[in-house]
Amino acid sequence: MTDGAPISDYGLLGDTRTAALVSSDGGMDWLCVPRFDGDPLFGRLVGGPDAGTFRVGPARPATVVERRYRQHTATLETTWAVGSGRLRLTEAMVAEVSGRLLPTTLIVRRLSAEQAAVDAVVEFDPRLGARHRRPRVQHRRQGLVCEWGALAVALASTPTLSIEPGRPTAVTVRPGRPVILVLAVAHREPVIHVEPTAAWELLVEDEARWRGWTAEIDDRLPFREHVARSLLTLRLLTYSPSGAPVAAPTTSLPEDPGGGRNWDYRYVWPRDASIGVSAFLSVGKADEARGFLAWLLHASRLQRPRLPALLTVHGRHVPAERELSGWPGYLDSRPVRMGNDAAVQHQLDGYGWVIDAAWAFAQAGHRLYAETWRAVRGFADVVAGRWQEPDAGIWEVREPGQHVHSKLMGWLALDRALAIADTHPLPERQRRRWRKARDAIAAEVRTRGFDPTADSYVRSYGSPDLDAAMLVLPLLDMDQAESPRVRGTVDAIRDRLSAGGALLYRYPPGRDGLPGTEGAFLPCSFWLVQGLARTGRRREAVELFRALVGYASPLGLYAEEMDPATGAHLGNYPQTLTHAALIQAALAIRDAPTSG
């Protein structure tokens, strides 16, 4: 769509099963049902007006005077100045529905007025799937029901409004008389109607649970409020029935506006998920880590010992990429894609992240189940047998190469597996094989992956290019964190991959074989914070972190990338990897010597 709001204008609503994006005009322009990777019900964000929206807000253009999440909750508030009055939209999705007769997805949106009556509008226009299918509509006593075969949504309101899909409905909101709208989703099950006032009470109960969950985060943690918002975001993006976090709730938000770098991120990358698991563990959230490891054990069973690069939230094969005909894309960025062909790639680094998460779980005092340890052993065997092969690397390039970061993560996989084996059973022959491969990787990386003229480890063997993923080097202990090689690598990346200010490119722009350009990669900047903290430069790390929190959206959310020239967020949003990297950066500052 050519007139789209900035990506950073959108707020996230979520219930740990799916998520919606809502703009500052009250437009719910993205929601997939019945889960993150389901069909879009409201797809205007990348599908244009024909893809549907659910807007609740002022009837005429109005000024936003405040927009925020209620502290330590997932409830979003938007307040507009309208004439002499104020109109407030308070909205959320109810996360806790187990044990009660409730729909799996329940969205509550409440309009209230202050100082004077305000004219508002409700635009409810659901269009399902790639073809923007209109529903079969029924008007029942409890409200409006829209059906598409096995899927139905029910919209109720108090006071009762006469709402027709696709047509705006005018409503006057008066002080002390709020208007509550409730949208319930049913998939292969009966429609459950929830009375709007009761739904509001459910939302209030949910807020108390989120505040209790957040209260467990250590008060002494640096940048605690930013960490808390990122942890909440990660939790909202974790599919609670399986424990698997999606990379983002969206597809095809562009890395290069107007270009073709548009990918579907509504799936689970074990790499990204493992980074999030480590973040949860570091703040004492062991249940999230346990849930992910259990999911991974189930999800990888059919392909084990190979670790897939990505999976669906149910642990199944990710659909092949397809392009949606007639979808204009965000800011005319086409094609709009569903599915992701990176699922068939060999990515060695994923094994390192996953085994490192298992090691962190064991380090926290939790013994791995026998079957989990068996899976980890299989992953380590794959690394020991395949580490010399080229792979697609963390950046999923189309042409496989000898990526130094992948080798490092292969080293990490074997090193952490050997550490777990200190407290878990392992045949001595297997232990020797892992140790031999681990030491061989270290020797090869030190000789073939380091460029003395640049005083830095490089992106791939024989290449002068740098790779910001190498900023994890100080965290791995393959070389001492304050060694000249490690510090030289951190400094070279900071200098040569700088995108200005606190921003970094992940590799030299235009060096990935794809047409078009891309922005600075936000997780890399947080990895730089970690690198500085781990190499004894805490003061610089703190300064950089302070600059980076200034790049967040007004609601504290981050996309994957940012345009260095304009500060616009780019790519799918909000991004699990960026928020996980933020948390780990804050933890690195916490653990760094205060004299640095």
Side-chain angles (χ1 to χ4, degrees), residues 412-550:
L412 182 68
L414 295 169
D415 185 73
R416 297 300 190 251
L418 285 163
I420 297 172
D422 289 341
T423 54
H424 293 69
L426 182 71
E428 187 58 33
R429 181 178 178 182
Q430 202 170 16
R431 189 190 306 269
R432 288 196 301 268
R433 181 170 179 255
W434 292 356
R435 187 179 293 117
K436 180 180 178 181
R438 180 196 64 180
D439 295 346
I441 294 172
E444 182 172 289
V445 166
R446 289 186 180 117
T447 55
R448 300 185 63 191
F450 187 80
D451 182 355
T453 60
D455 194 28
S456 173
Y457 284 98
V458 292
R459 183 179 180 188
S460 59
Y461 293 165
S463 169
D465 289 349
L466 300 186
D467 181 354
M470 294 297 292
L471 289 167
V472 302
L473 185 63
L475 315 178
L476 306 188
D477 301 322
M478 188 187 83
D479 289 336
Q480 291 295 318
E482 294 194 32
S483 71
R485 280 190 168 202
V486 172
R487 289 181 67 108
T489 299
V490 172
D491 291 341
I493 291 171
R494 189 181 194 181
D495 178 48
R496 289 173 52 188
L497 293 182
S498 173
L503 300 176
L504 292 176
Y505 293 110
R506 50 182 169 174
Y507 43 69
R511 302 292 285 271
D512 57 10
L514 294 174
T517 61
E518 63 173 10
F521 203 77
L522 288 167
C524 296
S525 292
F526 287 110
W527 291 345
L528 178 57
V529 173
Q530 282 184 276
L532 291 170
R534 287 296 295 268
T535 54
R537 291 176 279 183
R538 185 180 188 276
R539 181 183 57 79
E540 293 177 59
V542 170
E543 290 175 358
L544 181 60
F545 195 103
R546 285 183 176 140
L548 288 169
V549 298

Side-chain angles (χ1 to χ4, degrees), residues 312-399:
T312 70
V313 293
H314 288 304
R316 301 193 179 109
H317 292 286
V318 170
E321 279 181 19
R322 63 189 177 100
E323 299 178 1
L324 301 188
S325 175
W327 284 57
Y330 177 85
L331 295 180
D332 296 322
S333 304
R334 290 185 290 273
V336 173
R337 294 181 171 95
M338 288 192 175
N340 196 308
D341 284 347
V344 301
Q345 291 182 342
H346 170 48
Q347 298 178 16
L348 184 68
D349 73 288
Y351 295 88
W353 295 112
V354 166
I355 297 179
D356 185 56
W359 171 79
F361 188 73
Q363 282 286 101
H366 310 286
R367 189 172 179 84
L368 300 180
Y369 293 125
E371 182 61 21
T372 305
W373 175 226
R374 189 175 298 115
V376 168
R377 285 166 53 185
F379 296 151
D381 282 339
V382 170
V383 173
R386 299 190 63 183
W387 70 268
Q388 292 173 302
E389 298 176 18
D391 80 323
I394 186 173
W395 307 129
E396 300 180 343
V397 296
R398 300 299 174 94
E399 188 66 34

Side-chain angles (χ1 to χ4, degrees), residues 1 10-11 13 18-23 25-56 91-93 105-109 122-135 137 144-148 151-156 163-167 181-186 249-251 253 266 324 327-328 330 336 338 573:
M1 52 195 298
Y10 283 90
L13 307 182
T18 189
L21 294 187
V22 183
S23 70
D25 72 351
M28 185 176 290
D29 292 338
W30 185 255
L31 173 68
C32 292
V33 291
R35 56 187 181 273
F36 293 107
D37 60 352
D39 284 335
L41 182 69
F42 307 121
R44 185 175 184 265
L45 181 65
V46 292
D50 291 342
T53 189
F54 179 18
R55 179 173 176 264
V56 178
E91 55 189 336
M93 299 169 71
T105 291
L106 185 66
I107 302 172
V108 185
R109 314 188 78 186
V122 176
E123 299 177 34
F124 181 67
D125 189 16
R127 307 281 193 92
L128 186 67
R131 298 183 179 179
H132 315 318
R133 292 162 51 205
R134 296 179 184 272
V137 179
L144 178 72
V145 177
C146 297
E147 294 182 283
W148 301 262
L151 180 79
V153 297
L155 181 65
I163 297 174
E164 290 289 340
R167 298 179 184 175
L181 297 114
V182 179
L183 184 67
V185 179
T250 56
T251 180
L253 289 179
R266 300 171 301 144
L324 301 188
W327 284 57
Y330 177 85
V336 173
M338 288 192 175
Y573 171 91

